[in-house]
Amino acid sequence: MTARIQENSSHPDLPARRDVIERLTPGAVRAHAPAGLAALLVDAVDGGASVGFLAPLETAEAADWWSGAAEEAERGVRDVWAAHGPDGSLTGVVTLVRAGTANGRHRGEISRLLVHRSARGRGLGQRLLATAEAHAAATGLGLLVLDTQTDSPAERLYRGAGWTVAGTIPDFAADPAGVLRATTLYYKRV
């Protein structure tokens, strides 16, 4: 089943735009992996986001990661939503990963919330996050977790969306340039 949500931009400096948020089937993840999804991941890394990869990230490596995400979606472990801009290009993505242990089936992790640099500033990250949170709650998850680089722009998004800081771990992950950075862990009850 695919859910599509039309979104309007309310940013005063941008012309009115519509982004459509759609839950992707595993087949759709595979179809978008080599181009749109890979481009979003490469753009995030090129922009300095610490999302598990070092720069420069090759498109083929990014596409391989998304192919693995499609396999997880096929197994029911990962849900993927993508935002499509008015021209049909992918402007953002978010995934929800379900805990795989018997004692953790009540929780999930928000992972790979990416908004293309050209689509930032119009609330798309908030809408993608809210879509994943609503789905989590509707499917019986009561607790969500995520992590992000400490002092990154993403922290403002998460705090504004009601997420709670659980703690910070120094030198947890390298940024795209290979420099070790602190990571802040967040949680939210949904």
Side-chain angles (χ1 to χ4, degrees), residues 148-151 166-175 179-185:
T148 193
Q149 183 177 308
T150 303
D151 297 326
T168 300
I169 303 171
D171 298 335
F172 184 77
D175 67 13
V179 177
L180 292 178
R181 303 284 184 185
T183 293
T184 301
L185 309 174

Side-chain angles (χ1 to χ4, degrees), residues 42-168:
V42 168
D43 177 72
V45 173
D46 285 352
S50 181
V51 291
F53 299 91
L54 298 176
L57 176 61
E58 298 295 324
T59 300
E61 183 181 355
D64 285 345
W65 188 89
W66 283 109
S67 293
E71 291 173 15
E72 291 176 339
E74 187 87 36
R75 294 192 319 266
V77 174
R78 185 183 298 267
D79 294 307
V80 180
W81 292 267
H84 303 268
D87 64 355
S89 66
L90 292 184
T91 54
V93 67
V94 65
T95 76
L96 170 66
V97 181
R98 296 174 182 285
T101 59
N103 69 346
R105 291 193 180 126
H106 65 288
R107 73 174 188 269
E109 178 181 2
I110 299 294
S111 176
R112 299 299 186 280
L113 174 55
L114 310 172
V115 175
H116 195 277
R117 287 180 283 177
S118 67
R120 292 187 185 156
R122 57 182 200 246
L124 187 53
Q126 293 169 329
R127 295 188 302 266
L128 284 162
L129 182 59
T131 298
E133 290 173 357
H135 179 78
T139 58
L141 299 181
L143 180 67
L144 296 175
V145 297
L146 63 80
D147 65 77
T148 193
Q149 183 177 308
T150 303
D151 297 326
S152 70
E155 284 200 283
R156 184 176 51 227
L157 168 67
Y158 300 133
R159 288 182 179 157
W163 287 72
T164 301
V165 172
T168 300

